[in-house]
Amino acid sequence: ELCRQIIQLKPSNLIMIDIGENYLHQLETDLSNYNSPSENHYVLCSVVNEKKMNKLFEEFKPQLVFHAAAHKHVPLMEENIDEAILNNIQGTKIAVKLAKQFSVNKFILVSTDKVVNPTSIMGMTKCIAEKYVQYSSNQSSTQFISVRFGNVLGTNGSVIPLFLKQIKEGGPITITDPHMERYFMLISEASQLILQAAVLGNGGEVFLLEMGKPVKIIDLAKKMIRLSGYTLEKDIKLQITGIRKGEKLSEELFSSDEKCSASSHQKINILKINTANNSKLPEEIDALIQMTQYSTPEEMKRKLTSLISTI
């Protein structure tokens, strides 16, 4: 969606890097319908492939970098801690290094509300990525910006496609907990606000998108059953499966030591965050990345938890 909106602004070049060939192919198919003078480049590459990433930055010398490469599935990352660290943290570190090296004008990290008081591996790794991007804002002429928001409707991993599939199959709709609630926004609005935050930012900011009020997942399921023309319990039943590893009942948008204030855009807020204790962050991150080669999942989780408490 970011690419669909960017291409309408007619950049001279749009370089899209993705580890998933199917997503990249689908993107190429989608964007071929746009009448744009942009030169589009579809690059199959992992963000942790530093050698190839270096070549791409050297060849294209991008002015703007939108960094959205992250493993985001909460329960899956609980079982794959090493990959979460490598992709979400090392990948961000590599992208930041190259942005500085090749004098990128602005670097925008797509963050998540799961970084606030994180309980999951996904949230912890994204929290460290966000902190590192903010730390890097004082290290070069590149303007480093983070944009934080909640769940996006309709994306991969969203509950909407899952609920639609379960309704089509006659149920049941699976709900982890009747009290589970999340902040939601449309993918088109989230992408538009990310672009607008990129314009607002001068470097060092963490922007928070206006998410409205949280929605109970069970209420969303009931509404989808009703809108599909079915009756709850008679046609489609609900099944409570239990909260999954790493999940919280509700998410927070900012922590108690972060101050939220309005920006010049009514749907974008700015967070004031204390970064005084981050001087050892790069070496701590390097140590964490090294641990993926020899440490147990339990050791890596302890290190993550310890690092979160000190930054």
Side-chain angles (χ1 to χ4, degrees):
E1 180 60 26
L2 262 176
C3 295
R4 277 194 282 267
Q5 295 197 21
I6 289 169
I7 202 171
Q8 293 176 65
L9 302 174
K10 300 179 181 177
S12 58
N13 282 271
L14 180 57
I15 305 100
M16 293 153 279
I17 303 169
D18 202 310
I19 194 174
E21 61 172 336
N22 292 329
Y23 299 134
L24 204 59
H25 173 67
Q26 186 60 54
L27 185 58
E28 185 173 11
T29 303
D30 290 349
L31 295 189
S32 65
N33 297 319
Y34 288 83
N35 183 21
S36 171
S38 305
E39 274 191 36
N40 297 332
H41 307 270
Y42 303 89
V43 183
L44 189 62
C45 175
S46 167
V47 72
V48 298
N49 184 344
E50 188 168 0
K51 193 172 180 181
K52 186 168 181 178
M53 289 285 288
N54 190 89
K55 282 183 180 177
L56 293 169
F57 272 76
E58 188 174 27
E59 179 183 355
F60 294 111
K61 294 185 173 58
Q63 293 172 301
L64 294 172
V65 170
F66 292 88
H67 178 54
H71 291 323
K72 295 178 278 288
H73 194 281
V74 171
L76 199 56
M77 289 308 102
E78 295 296 312
E79 306 301 324
N80 295 276
I81 298 177
D82 55 344
E83 288 300 322
I85 291 169
L86 291 173
N87 197 74
N88 295 2
I89 299 175
Q90 186 185 26
T92 300
K93 189 169 182 284
I94 289 169
V96 164
K97 174 190 169 186
L98 293 171
K100 290 193 282 192
Q101 184 180 331
F102 291 97
S103 301
V104 167
N105 291 0
K106 288 191 178 188
F107 180 105
I108 299 93
L109 173 74
V110 176
S111 190
T112 167
D113 59 359
K114 291 176 177 62
V115 305
V116 183
N117 299 319
T119 57
S120 66
I121 297 300
M122 182 274 202
M124 290 182 202
T125 54
K126 286 292 284 180
C127 175
I128 293 168
E130 188 185 281
K131 294 288 187 185
Y132 186 71
V133 168
Q134 196 183 16
Y135 164 85
S136 301
S137 65
N138 299 321
Q139 311 298 314
S140 75
S141 59
T142 300
Q143 296 175 354
F144 288 97
I145 300 158
S146 296
V147 184
R148 189 191 295 176
F149 53 98
N151 291 34
V152 179
L153 291 169
T155 54
N156 293 308
S158 167
V159 293
I160 301 290
L162 173 63
F163 287 173
L164 287 173
K165 180 175 181 289
Q166 290 175 335
I167 290 169
K168 187 178 179 182
E169 293 170 350
I173 284 186
T174 53
I175 306 290
T176 54
D177 190 285
H179 302 291
M180 180 78 70
E181 60 181 14
R182 290 293 182 266
Y183 291 96
F184 287 105
M185 77 190 317
L186 295 172
I187 188 170
S188 55
E189 183 182 24
S191 299
Q192 184 182 68
L193 291 174
I194 290 169
L195 293 176
Q196 290 174 335
V199 174
L200 287 176
N202 295 309
E205 299 96 345
V206 175
F207 289 108
L208 175 64
L209 303 188
E210 179 56 56
M211 297 297 301
K213 293 181 179 178
V215 175
K216 273 199 163 66
I217 304 297
I218 196 166
D219 292 342
L220 183 63
K222 289 175 180 177
K223 187 173 283 188
M224 287 181 68
I225 291 169
R226 191 169 66 251
L227 291 174
S228 298
Y230 296 107
T231 303
L232 178 64
E233 294 306 323
K234 179 186 172 186
D235 302 315
I236 306 284
K237 294 185 182 299
L238 294 178
Q239 180 183 341
I240 307 299
T241 58
I243 194 165
R244 298 176 297 179
K245 209 172 173 183
E247 284 186 323
K248 293 196 282 188
L249 282 178
S250 57
E251 299 290 354
E252 304 159 271
L253 297 176
F254 55 95
S255 64
S256 58
D257 61 348
E258 296 176 330
K259 291 183 180 178
C260 184
S261 58
S263 76
S264 58
H265 192 292
Q266 63 176 1
K267 291 198 171 184
I268 302 174
N269 297 311
I270 301 177
L271 295 177
K272 188 173 181 182
I273 301 169
N274 180 19
T275 57
N277 300 322
N278 285 4
S279 59
K280 292 186 178 179
L281 189 57
E283 59 189 75
E284 293 279 7
I285 286 175
D286 287 341
L288 182 62
I289 292 166
Q290 283 297 314
M291 287 183 72
T292 62
Q293 304 302 313
Y294 60 82
S295 299
T296 65
E298 291 76 20
E299 288 169 337
M300 286 185 281
K301 186 168 185 177
R302 280 199 296 272
K303 176 68 175 175
L304 271 171
T305 305
S306 170
L307 185 50
I308 290 293
S309 67
T310 61
I311 58 175

